[in-house]
Amino acid sequence: MPPLLELRNVKMYYSTSRGVVRAVDGISFRLNKGEAMALVGESGSGKSSLAFTIIRLLPRNVAEIGGEIFFYDDELGTIDLMKMSEEEIRRKIRWKKISMVFQASMNALNPVLRVRDQMIEPLVLHLGLSEDEALKISEEALRSVGLTKDVLMRYPFELSGGMKQRVVIAMAIMMKPKLIILDEPTSALDVITQANIMNLLKELKTKYNLSYILITHDIALASEIADKIGVMYAGKLVELAPADVFFYKPKHPYSQKLLAAVPTLREEKTIEYIPGDVPSLITPPSGCRFHPRCPYAIKGKCDKEEPVMKHIEESEVACWLY
Ligand code: ATP
Ligand code: SF4
Ligand code: MG
């Protein structure tokens, strides 16, 4: 079986008045059908940019985009999304094959438009369905996320945060896509509602054999659902590992630091902070981008040569220590 999604050396740079921002800088990974990958890393490491590159929703100031994004589909066969036009992506891929729950999207629901109109709009406008068909699909999707069809007639301001997030998830699954990219799907919610939404996502994953790319700052949350973990640092993927292996034995020094910064309720431990800031993506550090913050940096090596991804046991890691 081919993987559902395979990225090879994917790049996406923005152009700004201060220079070119190398937000996604040579990312490769595979994701299988029914698999959830959590993408973690500090703010500004390029997680959302990578998501927008996959689904090709890019701003005007893109300076460069490159690499290959293979998507396997029973109907379409194996296609390189990078070779498809905007129009083809919009017609054949978005919503139907790959959908996205955007960062802060529940707050992006228009408060003065009924849920009904917001749910059917993409179906009618982009996919050319009739209003009746669109309504039927919306009702069914709401049911799958544990809401009743009454919600269709409500305005977002009448719904709780958790209900709004369910609506947004219903929209993401309504065309039965194979892959959903979720960008911080629960970060605006209280912990109980977060847990409910995570349970819903688990349920939907099993029911529809969905694959997820779950972008999150919250490593504990990632551990709830992820089959594998990808760690991004300054536009690069630095580690990719099965979740159990990652939590037990993170290999990249940055991954180790990230995990050491997670508080636990059960055991007492000193929380470590990662010194320094995420580097500029306009003039990233030479060699390994983590070298200015890495306690193990090898002088003359890490600051000069860029480490490539290597298979170490079940993980892949880009670090000169291996
Ligand atoms: P967060 O966790 O805060 O959401 P992120 O990992 O999703 O962060 P991105 O939003 O992808 O990070 O940003 C990666 C880099 O690209 C940052 O340096 C950011 O400032 C820059 N960036 C993002 N969007 C644009 C844009 N439209 N134009 C120029 N630079 C951008
Ligand atoms: Fe640290 Fe060097 Fe590994 Fe980078 S390559 S993480 S600087 S040891
Ligand atoms: Mg983001």
Side-chain angles (χ1 to χ4, degrees):
M1 265 296 262
L4 179 71
L5 185 78
E6 178 172 3
L7 272 66
R8 290 193 199 154
N9 199 22
V10 170
K11 293 184 179 172
M12 197 276 289
Y13 300 167
Y14 299 107
S15 106
T16 70
S17 56
R18 288 169 48 226
V20 171
V21 178
R22 290 149 68 176
V24 177
D25 209 5
I27 301 253
S28 306
F29 67 83
R30 288 163 154 238
L31 184 72
N32 293 319
K33 211 169 171 182
E35 207 174 41
M37 169 170 132
L39 202 56
V40 300
E42 281 162 292
S43 195
S45 55
K47 305 179 300 294
S48 298
S49 300
L50 177 62
F52 289 131
T53 306
I54 295 172
I55 197 164
R56 195 99 59 84
L57 277 174
L58 296 169
R60 279 164 184 272
N61 65 324
V62 168
E64 195 181 321
I65 171 166
E68 293 157 311
I69 303 179
F70 293 105
F71 181 73
Y72 175 80
D73 180 65
D74 294 337
E75 211 182 316
L76 304 170
T78 302
I79 37 177
D80 180 359
L81 300 180
M82 283 291 197
K83 292 214 169 76
M84 286 182 118
S85 67
E86 285 269 345
E87 161 66 16
E88 271 181 302
I89 297 251
R90 193 159 53 78
R91 227 164 12 90
K92 297 185 185 161
I93 304 295
R94 233 177 268 151
W95 301 100
K96 287 185 179 162
K97 306 290 179 192
I98 307 178
S99 66
M100 185 159 169
V101 170
F102 298 97
Q103 206 162 355
S105 53
M106 68 180 219
N107 298 323
L109 287 172
N110 187 335
V112 297
L113 265 187
R114 287 185 202 274
V115 169
R116 174 190 186 280
D117 299 321
Q118 304 192 55
M119 283 190 84
I120 68 170
E121 189 207 81
L123 301 175
V124 173
L125 221 63
H126 300 310
L127 303 174
L129 300 185
S130 73
E131 210 173 297
D132 279 353
E133 280 173 303
L135 273 174
K136 234 176 93 199
I137 289 173
S138 306
E139 278 176 21
E140 196 192 314
L142 286 175
R143 232 187 343 261
S144 311
V145 300
L147 295 174
T148 59
K149 64 177 185 183
D150 309 345
V151 169
L152 284 174
M153 294 316 282
R154 310 266 286 271
Y155 292 95
F157 71 79
E158 300 177 296
L159 306 176
S160 69
M163 286 168 91
K164 278 192 276 189
Q165 196 58 349
R166 280 173 198 265
V167 168
V168 169
I169 293 169
M171 291 175 75
I173 60 162
M174 65 189 171
M175 289 309 290
K176 307 246 174 347
K178 302 279 182 291
L179 168 67
I180 306 185
I181 305 174
L182 301 132
D183 198 349
E184 302 281 1
T186 62
S187 57
L189 303 167
D190 64 82
V191 280
I192 306 280
T193 313
Q194 270 191 0
N196 288 337
I197 296 286
M198 287 314 283
N199 283 336
L200 168 69
L201 291 174
K202 273 191 238 178
E203 231 176 82
L204 294 171
K205 176 176 181 270
T206 315
K207 188 168 167 196
Y208 300 117
N209 197 22
L210 283 169
S211 301
Y212 291 145
I213 295 177
L214 171 73
I215 296 174
T216 181
H217 284 110
D218 188 337
I219 302 217
L221 196 83
S223 71
E224 288 279 310
I225 198 167
D227 302 299
K228 56 188 186 194
I229 311 280
V231 181
M232 274 189 81
Y233 186 78
K236 303 246 175 214
L237 195 65
V238 296
E239 179 160 357
L240 183 64
D244 47 345
V245 175
F246 181 81
F247 289 110
Y248 170 65
K249 214 176 165 188
K251 295 198 169 50
H252 195 281
Y254 177 64
S255 311
Q256 292 166 2
K257 290 277 181 200
L258 269 183
L259 280 179
V262 180
T264 58
L265 281 179
R266 289 191 201 96
E267 26 171 338
E268 256 189 52
K269 76 169 191 186
T270 359
I271 297 175
E272 291 177 34
Y273 293 94
I274 310 175
D277 295 316
V278 178
S280 153
L281 296 180
I282 296 176
T283 47
S286 57
C288 170
R289 291 186 180 179
F290 189 53
H291 88 259
R293 299 168 78 186
C294 180
Y296 311 109
I298 309 159
K299 225 173 169 230
K301 177 86 174 169
C302 296
D303 50 345
K304 296 217 159 53
E305 292 171 49
E306 188 180 330
V308 288
M309 274 285 205
K310 268 183 247 148
H311 280 273
I312 307 293
E313 293 151 18
E314 297 124 296
S315 312
E316 287 175 68
V317 55
C319 170
W320 288 123
L321 293 178
Y322 300 93

